[in-house]
Protein backbone atom coordinates (compact mmCIF):
# COMPACT_ATOMS: atom_id res chain seq x y z
CA UNK A 1 0.00 0.00 0.00
CA UNK A 2 2.86 2.38 0.75
CA UNK A 3 4.25 2.03 -2.76
CA UNK A 4 0.84 2.91 -4.21
CA UNK A 5 0.70 6.08 -2.13
CA UNK A 6 4.22 7.03 -3.23
CA UNK A 7 3.41 6.44 -6.92
CA UNK A 8 0.21 8.48 -6.70
CA UNK A 9 1.94 11.31 -4.82
CA UNK A 10 4.74 11.48 -7.40
CA UNK A 11 2.19 11.49 -10.23
CA UNK A 12 0.23 14.27 -8.53
CA UNK A 13 3.36 16.35 -7.94
CA UNK A 14 4.53 15.90 -11.52
CA UNK A 15 1.08 16.83 -12.77
CA UNK A 16 1.06 19.97 -10.64
CA UNK A 17 4.60 20.96 -11.63
CA UNK A 18 3.86 20.66 -15.36
CA UNK A 19 0.37 22.24 -15.06
CA UNK A 20 -1.46 19.24 -16.49
CA UNK A 21 -5.21 19.56 -16.80
CA UNK A 22 -6.41 16.51 -14.88
CA UNK A 23 -10.05 17.13 -15.78
CA UNK A 24 -9.23 16.43 -19.44
CA UNK A 25 -7.80 13.02 -18.55
CA UNK A 26 -10.78 12.40 -16.29
CA UNK A 27 -13.19 13.01 -19.15
CA UNK A 28 -11.18 10.75 -21.47
CA UNK A 29 -11.17 8.00 -18.85
CA UNK A 30 -14.91 8.27 -18.24
CA UNK A 31 -15.65 8.16 -21.99
CA UNK A 32 -13.38 5.11 -22.39
CA UNK A 33 -15.02 3.31 -19.48
CA UNK A 34 -18.54 4.08 -20.68
CA UNK A 35 -17.82 2.92 -24.22
CA UNK A 36 -15.85 -0.22 -23.25
CA UNK A 37 -17.43 -1.20 -19.93
CA UNK A 38 -18.78 -4.51 -21.24
CA UNK A 39 -15.38 -5.59 -22.60
CA UNK A 40 -13.63 -4.50 -19.41
CA UNK A 41 -16.08 -6.43 -17.24
CA UNK A 42 -16.01 -9.59 -19.35
CA UNK A 43 -12.22 -9.56 -19.65
CA UNK A 44 -11.65 -9.04 -15.96
CA UNK A 45 -14.20 -11.67 -14.96
CA UNK A 46 -12.62 -14.12 -17.40
CA UNK A 47 -9.20 -13.49 -15.86
CA UNK A 48 -10.57 -13.97 -12.34
CA UNK A 49 -12.35 -17.20 -13.29
CA UNK A 50 -9.23 -18.44 -15.07
CA UNK A 51 -7.19 -17.76 -11.93
CA UNK A 52 -9.62 -19.60 -9.68
CA UNK A 53 -10.01 -22.62 -11.96
CA UNK A 54 -6.27 -22.91 -12.58
CA UNK A 55 -5.49 -22.63 -8.86
CA UNK A 56 -7.85 -25.50 -8.13
CA UNK A 57 -6.83 -27.68 -11.09
CA UNK A 58 -3.06 -27.19 -11.01
CA UNK A 59 -2.64 -27.17 -7.24
CA UNK A 60 -0.11 -29.99 -7.17
CA UNK A 61 1.82 -29.42 -10.41
CA UNK A 62 4.82 -27.42 -11.57
CA UNK A 63 2.64 -24.63 -12.93
CA UNK A 64 2.30 -23.40 -9.36
CA UNK A 65 5.07 -20.81 -9.58
CA UNK A 66 3.50 -19.21 -12.64
CA UNK A 67 0.13 -19.16 -10.92
CA UNK A 68 1.64 -17.53 -7.87
CA UNK A 69 3.19 -14.81 -10.05
CA UNK A 70 -0.13 -14.25 -11.86
CA UNK A 71 -2.04 -14.08 -8.58
CA UNK A 72 0.38 -11.60 -7.06
CA UNK A 73 0.31 -9.46 -10.20
CA UNK A 74 -3.49 -9.37 -10.23
CA UNK A 75 -3.50 -8.64 -6.49
CA UNK A 76 -1.12 -5.69 -6.85
CA UNK A 77 -2.89 -4.32 -9.93
CA UNK A 78 -6.27 -4.53 -8.19
CA UNK A 79 -4.92 -2.93 -5.03
CA UNK A 80 -3.38 -0.13 -7.11
CA UNK A 81 -6.69 0.51 -8.89
CA UNK A 82 -8.49 0.65 -5.53
CA UNK A 83 -5.86 3.08 -4.23
CA UNK A 84 -6.12 5.17 -7.38
CA UNK A 85 -9.91 5.37 -7.14
CA UNK A 86 -9.80 6.13 -3.41
CA UNK A 87 -7.19 8.86 -3.50
CA UNK A 88 -8.55 10.22 -6.78
CA UNK A 89 -12.01 10.55 -5.28
CA UNK A 90 -10.59 12.35 -2.26
CA UNK A 91 -8.60 14.66 -4.54
CA UNK A 92 -11.59 15.52 -6.73
CA UNK A 93 -13.86 15.99 -3.74
CA UNK A 94 -11.43 18.24 -1.88
CA UNK A 95 -10.31 20.48 -4.74
CA UNK A 96 -13.15 20.43 -7.26
CA UNK A 97 -16.21 19.48 -5.17
CA UNK A 98 -16.93 16.56 -7.48
CA UNK A 99 -17.93 13.03 -6.50
CA UNK A 100 -16.35 10.58 -8.96
CA UNK A 101 -17.72 7.40 -7.38
CA UNK A 102 -20.92 7.32 -9.53
CA UNK A 103 -18.86 7.75 -12.71
CA UNK A 104 -16.82 4.63 -11.97
CA UNK A 105 -19.75 2.39 -11.01
CA UNK A 106 -19.56 0.23 -14.18
CA UNK A 107 -16.11 -1.08 -13.18
CA UNK A 108 -16.14 -0.56 -9.43
CA UNK A 109 -16.57 -4.21 -8.48
CA UNK A 110 -13.74 -5.49 -10.67
CA UNK A 111 -10.78 -4.43 -8.50
CA UNK A 112 -12.58 -5.70 -5.40
CA UNK A 113 -13.26 -9.04 -7.08
CA UNK A 114 -9.64 -9.12 -8.26
CA UNK A 115 -8.32 -8.65 -4.73
CA UNK A 116 -10.66 -11.27 -3.28
CA UNK A 117 -10.01 -13.83 -6.04
CA UNK A 118 -6.24 -13.32 -5.80
CA UNK A 119 -6.37 -13.77 -2.05
CA UNK A 120 -8.38 -16.97 -2.47
CA UNK A 121 -5.98 -18.31 -5.11
CA UNK A 122 -2.92 -17.48 -3.03
CA UNK A 123 -4.60 -19.20 -0.08
CA UNK A 124 -5.26 -22.30 -2.22
CA UNK A 125 -1.69 -22.38 -3.51
CA UNK A 126 0.09 -21.59 -0.24
CA UNK A 127 -2.12 -21.38 2.84
CA UNK A 128 0.78 -20.17 5.01
CA UNK A 129 1.20 -16.88 3.15
CA UNK A 130 -0.55 -14.00 4.92
CA UNK A 131 -2.87 -12.16 2.55
CA UNK A 132 -5.53 -10.98 4.99
CA UNK A 133 -3.81 -7.68 5.97
CA UNK A 134 -3.43 -6.61 2.34
CA UNK A 135 -7.00 -7.48 1.48
CA UNK A 136 -8.44 -5.78 4.54
CA UNK A 137 -6.32 -2.66 4.02
CA UNK A 138 -7.37 -2.34 0.38
CA UNK A 139 -11.04 -2.85 1.04
CA UNK A 140 -11.07 -0.51 4.04
CA UNK A 141 -9.28 2.17 2.03
CA UNK A 142 -12.02 2.07 -0.60
CA UNK A 143 -14.82 2.07 1.98
CA UNK A 144 -13.22 4.88 4.01
CA UNK A 145 -12.75 7.02 0.90
CA UNK A 146 -16.33 6.40 -0.19
CA UNK A 147 -17.67 7.36 3.25
CA UNK A 148 -15.47 10.46 3.53
CA UNK A 149 -16.40 11.72 0.09
CA UNK A 150 -20.14 11.03 0.31
CA UNK A 151 -20.81 11.90 3.95
CA UNK A 152 -18.21 14.47 4.89
CA UNK A 153 -16.90 16.40 1.90
CA UNK A 154 -19.85 16.56 -0.46
Amino acid sequence: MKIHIVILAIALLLGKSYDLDISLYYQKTISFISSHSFLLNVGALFLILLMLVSAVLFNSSTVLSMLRILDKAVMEASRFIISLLSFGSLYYAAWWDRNIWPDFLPILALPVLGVLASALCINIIDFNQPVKPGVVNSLLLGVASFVIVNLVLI
Side-chain angles (χ1 to χ4, degrees):
M1 180 81 75
K2 293 174 191 168
I3 190 70
H4 302 153
I5 295 170
V6 169
I7 290 171
L8 293 172
I10 289 172
L12 181 65
L13 290 176
L14 286 175
K16 288 290 187 185
S17 65
Y18 289 109
D19 291 329
L20 291 177
D21 187 16
I22 297 175
S23 63
L24 176 68
Y25 294 110
Y26 175 74
Q27 292 301 326
K28 286 183 180 181
T29 304
I30 294 302
S31 66
F32 178 79
I33 287 172
S34 64
S35 63
H36 296 93
S37 66
F38 179 75
L39 288 175
L40 290 171
N41 288 331
V42 169
L45 288 175
F46 178 73
L47 179 66
I48 290 169
L49 283 173
L50 180 70
M51 283 176 15
L52 289 172
V53 168
S54 61
V56 170
L57 290 178
F58 303 119
N59 193 12
S60 62
S61 69
T62 59
V63 186
L64 222 50
S65 62
M66 291 187 333
L67 287 174
R68 184 175 290 146
I69 291 170
L70 175 70
D71 292 337
K72 288 189 182 234
V74 170
M75 172 80 84
E76 286 301 317
S78 299
R79 289 178 67 194
F80 181 73
I81 292 171
I82 290 172
S83 300
L84 181 67
L85 285 174
S86 299
F87 290 117
S89 68
L90 290 173
Y91 175 78
Y92 270 89
W95 274 277
W96 289 337
D97 293 331
R98 170 104 194 219
N99 186 1
I100 68 168
W101 285 109
D103 295 333
F104 287 99
L105 278 179
I107 62 162
L108 191 60
L110 296 178
V112 173
L113 285 176
V115 166
L116 294 175
S118 295
L120 181 63
C121 289
I122 291 172
N123 194 18
I124 290 171
I125 293 170
D126 183 13
F127 62 89
N128 287 325
Q129 185 165 350
V131 292
K132 186 178 177 183
V135 171
V136 171
N137 288 342
S138 296
L139 296 179
L140 283 181
L141 176 67
V143 169
S145 171
F146 182 80
V147 168
I148 289 171
V149 167
N150 287 315
L151 296 180
V152 177
L153 293 178
I154 293 185

